[in-house]
Amino acid sequence: MVKRELWLKQIRPFYENELIKVLIGIRRCGKSIILNQIKEEILSAGVDESHIIFINFEDLSYSFIKDELDLNNFIKKRITDSKKYYLFFDEIQNVKNFEKVLNSLRATQNVSIFITGSNAKLLSGELATLLAGRYVTFKIMPFTFAESLEIQNIQNPTDSDLMNYLKFGGMPQRFYLNEESEIKKFLSDLYDSIVLKDIVTRYKVKNIELLGRIINYLASTSSQIFSASSINNFLKSEGRDCSKETLYNYLDYVVQSCTVNKAKRYDITGKKSLSTLEKYYLSDTGFANLYSTKFNIGAMLENVVFNELISRGYDVQVGVTSNSEIDFIATKNNLKEYFQVSYLLFDENTISREFGAFKKVKDNFPKYVITADHFDFSQDGIIHKNIIDWLLDK
């Protein structure tokens, strides 16, 4: 089993903290794996197993726990002394009013609580006010490229290994499948479960076909600037009409399901976030291969770099200057890094475009151009990195 160290090192400082640890991510991305690895680390630290309570709410064995009272009664019966208990609740959104029992347990018992969910608005609405300031959130992603190599026991990755990752993504279960048809079937079934369980049922979506077309559009245009008019034109070309309100509602549902992530644009000169023309990136590039006959390597590379930055704990925005765009501004601990991503630096015009994007950036934070080239084109203080080396942090 791959130890998901990128997230474990972010979560470890909170193991004993009273803050509720919330792990959010797309269905089947490996949240349960991380939860079990946290459990094992706590056990290895000497905690008695009787003081660990682990519930997967997608397990029928716990189907009798339907609301906050059921859950509260179940947990209270198992807390028998004053020592700390470690509570793990996997896919807790299946329990009605779960926030109430979390708040009660946190306030009245000696506990450390870990929860997972497949919806980014897991803690939202009126009940969430109970937990305001009392939880910390971690965005969980599918396997990174480095993790994908580890599970496949690949020591010296090649460009073909990278292409395989771009094409089929990093969902943990797909690495146990050998045939392309099996992987596509798995990803297709996963997509169906996300749409039906995490979007249609949760939000009572009536026009499932329209929702599917919007997801299709996002999957096939990943890494491109999004506008309501562009997707409306796409829908009209297929003979469909959609109001802006419905469009933005459905788009929000897709984002909240963690199927895609939104990157806002940031005006570098004006030093402010922009509220229009965002970019959307797939949580897993394998979904793009389901809906498009064209495989845009450059777009997928950009998508993978975005996902890697999120996995490394960065806040990521798209940079905008007066006459150009910088793919990513990645911020962590008040430090910035700038990134341009391209497939290959084919010629002088491409080199000039990618490195020239940084001309309007006057600060001294690191600036990178990431490509699949194996020759180093670094210049003028701008670092050029091969994408495999960068993904492996070399």
Side-chain angles (χ1 to χ4, degrees), residues 215-222 224 234 282 288 291-292 294 296:
I215 297 175
N216 187 345
Y217 178 85
L218 292 173
S220 60
T221 61
S222 174
Q224 294 183 24
F234 166 75
L282 294 164
Y291 306 111
S292 178
K294 297 180 180 179
N296 187 329

Side-chain angles (χ1 to χ4, degrees), residues 106-132:
R106 187 201 61 80
T108 64
Q109 304 294 324
N110 183 14
V111 294
S112 180
I113 302 174
F114 303 80
I115 69 173
T116 76
S118 300
N119 192 282
K121 284 189 176 178
L122 182 67
L123 297 174
S124 62
E126 294 181 6
L127 288 177
T129 59
L130 291 170
L131 301 177

Side-chain angles (χ1 to χ4, degrees), residues 51-113:
H51 282 68
I52 292 180
I53 302 173
F54 196 111
I55 303 175
N56 180 351
F57 289 104
E58 292 192 328
D59 183 342
L60 284 176
S61 301
Y62 299 103
S63 60
F64 64 91
I65 302 177
K66 300 183 182 303
D67 58 28
E68 73 275 24
L69 295 179
D70 294 335
L71 180 56
N72 189 62
N73 291 335
F74 181 82
I75 298 299
K76 286 288 187 68
K77 288 179 181 179
R78 281 155 179 75
I79 295 179
T80 58
D81 58 46
S82 60
K83 293 181 180 179
K84 178 168 284 189
Y85 281 74
Y86 299 83
L87 312 182
F88 297 86
F89 301 135
D90 200 2
E91 300 295 349
I92 198 172
Q93 73 271 359
N94 294 325
V95 178
K96 184 179 179 181
N97 297 335
F98 67 85
E99 296 97 331
K100 288 185 176 180
V101 68
L102 294 185
N103 189 52
S104 176
L105 290 170
R106 187 201 61 80
T108 64
Q109 304 294 324
N110 183 14
V111 294
S112 180
I113 302 174

Side-chain angles (χ1 to χ4, degrees), residues 274-317:
L274 303 175
S275 59
T276 58
L277 301 178
E278 302 96 342
K279 281 190 173 185
Y280 290 85
Y281 295 93
L282 294 164
S283 291
D284 190 78
T285 56
F287 288 119
N289 196 34
L290 292 177
Y291 306 111
S292 178
T293 57
K294 297 180 180 179
F295 187 68
N296 187 329
I297 298 177
M300 291 300 97
L301 287 175
E302 185 176 327
N303 203 134
V304 163
V305 170
F306 176 86
N307 290 349
E308 181 73 22
L309 289 169
I310 294 296
S311 299
R312 294 180 184 184
Y314 286 91
D315 176 63
V316 186
Q317 294 177 296

Side-chain angles (χ1 to χ4, degrees), residues 159-380:
D159 289 344
S160 63
D161 295 315
L162 176 64
M163 290 299 296
N164 179 275
Y165 181 73
L166 294 177
K167 189 175 183 179
F168 297 116
M171 287 294 182
Q173 286 176 290
R174 78 92 164 165
F175 295 99
Y176 297 99
L177 305 173
N178 297 317
E179 301 297 327
E180 180 173 335
S181 59
E182 294 176 339
I183 297 172
K184 285 188 173 182
K185 179 66 166 61
F186 162 70
L187 291 172
S188 179
D189 290 346
L190 175 59
Y191 162 79
D192 288 342
S193 71
I194 291 169
V195 171
L196 293 175
K197 290 186 179 181
D198 296 333
I199 303 179
V200 173
T201 301
R202 180 181 179 90
Y203 297 106
K204 298 179 173 59
V205 171
K206 296 179 180 178
N207 195 335
I208 300 176
E209 184 183 6
L210 176 62
L211 173 67
R213 298 312 298 162
I214 291 173
I215 297 175
N216 187 345
Y217 178 85
L218 292 173
S220 60
T221 61
S222 174
S223 309
Q224 294 183 24
I225 292 290
F226 173 88
S227 70
S229 61
S230 64
I231 193 169
N232 263 324
N233 290 336
F234 166 75
L235 294 172
K236 286 180 180 178
S237 72
E238 297 190 333
R240 294 178 173 87
D241 286 318
C242 177
S243 69
K244 279 192 175 182
E245 181 181 6
T246 298
L247 170 60
Y248 280 110
N249 282 340
Y250 281 17
L251 184 59
D252 184 59
Y253 301 159
V254 176
V255 172
Q256 299 312 324
S257 73
C258 301
T259 308
V260 299
N261 294 296
K262 179 167 62 176
K264 291 185 177 181
R265 297 195 308 153
Y266 181 80
D267 183 345
I268 295 174
T269 304
K271 297 183 179 180
K272 61 180 179 181
S273 294
L274 303 175
S275 59
T276 58
L277 301 178
E278 302 96 342
K279 281 190 173 185
Y280 290 85
Y281 295 93
L282 294 164
S283 291
D284 190 78
T285 56
F287 288 119
N289 196 34
L290 292 177
Y291 306 111
S292 178
T293 57
K294 297 180 180 179
F295 187 68
N296 187 329
I297 298 177
M300 291 300 97
L301 287 175
E302 185 176 327
N303 203 134
V304 163
V305 170
F306 176 86
N307 290 349
E308 181 73 22
L309 289 169
I310 294 296
S311 299
R312 294 180 184 184
Y314 286 91
D315 176 63
V316 186
Q317 294 177 296
V318 176
V320 179
T321 64
S322 58
N323 60 356
S324 66
E325 179 183 284
I326 295 173
D327 288 330
F328 303 123
I329 305 173
T331 307
K332 183 167 64 173
N333 300 327
N334 295 318
L335 299 176
K336 292 181 181 178
E337 296 181 33
Y338 297 91
F339 293 88
Q340 277 292 99
V341 185
S342 182
Y343 175 33
L344 293 171
L345 299 174
F346 293 102
D347 50 35
E348 287 300 324
N349 288 335
T350 307
I351 294 171
S352 177
R353 182 186 70 238
E354 300 301 331
F355 284 84
F358 299 114
K359 283 184 178 179
K360 298 285 185 178
V361 182
K362 302 302 181 183
D363 61 44
N364 294 317
F365 290 115
K367 300 168 183 67
Y368 297 92
V369 173
I370 309 293
T371 76
D373 294 283
H374 291 280
F375 181 82
D376 189 349
F377 288 92
S378 298
Q379 56 188 262
D380 300 325

